[in-house]
């Protein structure tokens, strides 16, 4: 699959849900993650578990700091 497919799928799903739920905000997707299990394929860019966890945690803390308390996290992983 092309680079970013997982993020594109989850983002599109989130946008479709947001069309149906008043006041729902969709943040931009995180286009990188932990993907070292694909290292046998060309051009795999993988963050460590610690790094991606820290990125997600810091984003969530900023969202909460801005007064948002109801949060949904979507993850769409393609299985090939």
């Amino acid at each position: 699959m092309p680079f970013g497919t997982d993020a594109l799928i989850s983002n599109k799903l989130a946008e479709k849900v947001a069309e149906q739920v008043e006041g729902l905000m969709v943040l931009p997707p995180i286009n990188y993650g932990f993907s070292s299990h694909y290292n046998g394929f060309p051009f795999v860019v993988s963050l460590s578990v610690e790094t991606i966890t820290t990125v997600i945690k810091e984003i969530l803390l900023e969202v909460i700091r801005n007064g948002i308390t109801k949060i949904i996290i979507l993850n769409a992983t393609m299985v090939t």
Side-chain angles (χ1 to χ4, degrees):
M1 302 303 305
F3 181 76
T5 298
D6 297 348
L8 292 170
I9 290 169
S10 60
N11 192 64
K12 189 64 170 178
L13 177 60
E15 289 173 352
K16 290 289 186 185
V17 171
E19 290 173 4
Q20 304 297 316
V21 179
E22 185 178 338
L24 187 65
M25 175 178 33
V26 177
L27 295 178
I30 300 171
N31 291 307
Y32 293 92
F34 175 73
S35 305
S36 64
H37 47 284
Y38 292 120
N39 280 347
F41 296 99
F43 197 69
V44 171
V45 177
S46 180
L47 301 178
S48 70
V49 172
E50 295 81 15
T51 298
I52 193 63
T53 301
T54 299
V55 168
I56 294 168
K57 180 179 176 182
E58 289 190 14
I59 290 170
L60 290 173
L61 289 172
E62 286 298 301
V63 168
I64 292 166
R65 184 182 65 77
N66 280 280
I68 307 298
T69 58
K70 295 180 182 178
I71 301 168
I72 299 170
I73 300 173
L74 286 177
N75 178 29
T77 302
M78 295 295 299
V79 178
T80 57

